[in-house]
Structure formats: C-alpha cells, structure tokens
Amino acid sequence: MSIVTVSWRSIRAEIARELHRHGLYASFCPRTGHCRDLGADGACDRGVAGDFLTPSQVAASRAVMGLDTQLIADGTYLLVHAGDGRLAGCGGWSRRATLYGGDHSTSLRDAALLDPSHDAARIRAMYTDPDFVRRGVARLVLSVCEAAARDAGFARAEMMATLAGEPLYRACGYQPIEHIETPGEVPVPMIRMGKALI
C-alpha cells in the first residue's frame, strides 16, 4: 500500500487516492542534504529538453535551472516517488521573490518575502522523470503547490516555464505574461506564466 506523508494541510483525500492508483506516494524533502542530488544534473533533469531545446540549449539551461535549497529550508518542496522508491517528479512553491534559478544562479535570486495581498506566489523547480510523464505527476505537484499557496493567502501564482512545460501549464490554466531568453552565449527561451488561484 502506498503512503502519503504530506504535511501541507491543503492535501486532499482525492489526491492521496490518485497517487495510490498510480503506485506513487508523496513526501516533502526533509533536509537539504537528502535532496541535493535533485539539481540540474539529477534524474528529473532528463525531462527538460524533449523536442523543444537543442543539446546546446539544454547544457546552457543548467546555468539557470536546478535545485533551490531555500525551497527545502522553507518546507515547500514536494517529492513524488514511485512505489519502488524511484523519484518520479518534484516541484515546489515559494513565498519569496525568486522566480526561477538554482542555488548556483546567484544573479537570479532574491530571498525577500512576497506580500500575498498583492504579489503572486512562485511555482518553482518542477521536474518529471521521463519514465513517469503523462501519469499525472506534474499535475499533482502543481495542484498541491497551488493549494498550499492559496492556503497561505496568495490569490495568484507565477512561474518561469520551459517550452517543454508550457503545454501542461496552459492546460492547467496558466497564461503567458512574457517571453524571455536567458542571458549567456546560448540563450534558452522561457515563458513567464501566471494564473489566478481564487
């Protein structure tokens, strides 16, 4: 039997049933060291490219993507595991100003707390292992993150989406706000997207 050990009060029984149906379980990353291997070189990174980026863009994306241990410290990073313990996907939300970027992308980081009365919560570091795509993993992580942000008083959520993630986020109600390219020798196209949570 799969076990759901999620502490966010917003998790619903139907999410637990859906996880169990797919042989999955969810837990929060308990400490930084436990999750350090989930960064840009971790198993979930393999899902970034798909048919959307060139190999050089995938390599360049590692300069701005990866694990943000602030999410773990804040207790807002979710891991979804298969019944055999393999990491199926991960992602989080944040009440901090950083929109995207891992620990190593210092120029993108801003730990200032957002004001739920007028700022949008951030959806962050969403990855699904290719072996688990189209099984509801990313949609599950996203719905849990949205519910937790809503419970924290946020009326909107924003993210910086990859081209590979855009179709899922559109299907989940996110709309494009702006298109950008990351700085550097090989620009990586990304899309800032947002959604009303209430």
Side-chain angles (χ1 to χ4, degrees):
M1 174 180 247
S2 297
I3 299 172
V4 176
T5 56
V6 177
S7 62
W8 280 338
R9 63 188 166 101
S10 58
I11 191 77
R12 306 282 194 273
E14 60 268 18
I15 292 174
R17 283 192 298 276
E18 186 65 15
L19 277 170
H20 182 71
R21 188 170 74 81
H22 289 286
L24 302 169
Y25 65 95
S27 65
F28 284 97
C29 195
R31 60 190 182 283
T32 302
H34 178 72
C35 296
R36 192 159 300 280
D37 294 336
L38 294 176
D41 294 323
C44 288
D45 179 53
R46 294 183 291 144
V48 171
D51 296 326
F52 298 91
L53 300 178
T54 67
S56 60
Q57 286 175 318
V58 171
S61 71
R62 292 187 180 109
V64 295
M65 294 179 174
L67 182 63
D68 179 352
T69 53
Q70 183 68 62
L71 299 171
I72 297 166
D74 289 345
T76 61
Y77 203 62
L78 180 72
L79 307 179
V80 176
H81 298 272
D84 62 5
R86 288 184 300 152
L87 181 63
C90 50
W93 76 279
S94 182
R95 60 178 53 91
R96 298 184 184 272
T98 300
L99 183 60
Y100 70 102
D103 286 347
H104 60 284
S105 42
T106 55
S107 65
L108 299 172
R109 303 180 61 72
D110 182 353
L113 291 174
L114 299 169
D115 181 346
S117 70
H118 64 272
D119 293 324
R122 308 303 196 219
I123 302 296
R124 302 280 317 282
M126 298 272 301
Y127 299 100
T128 302
D129 187 290
D131 292 342
F132 295 93
V133 295
R134 305 230 180 264
R135 291 176 60 184
V137 173
R139 195 177 288 263
L140 167 79
V141 171
L142 187 58
S143 67
V144 170
C145 290
E146 289 172 349
R150 192 170 34 253
D151 286 352
F154 287 92
R156 281 188 57 74
E158 289 185 6
M159 69 173 68
M160 189 61 76
T162 63
L163 296 183
E166 180 190 12
L168 169 70
Y169 302 135
R170 279 185 183 268
C172 291
Y174 285 81
Q175 296 298 314
I177 298 170
E178 67 176 323
H179 293 258
I180 70 154
E181 288 188 339
T182 60
E185 193 174 305
V186 180
V188 178
M190 299 182 81
I191 307 162
R192 184 175 186 156
M193 301 183 81
K195 174 184 177 179
L197 299 178
I198 56 173

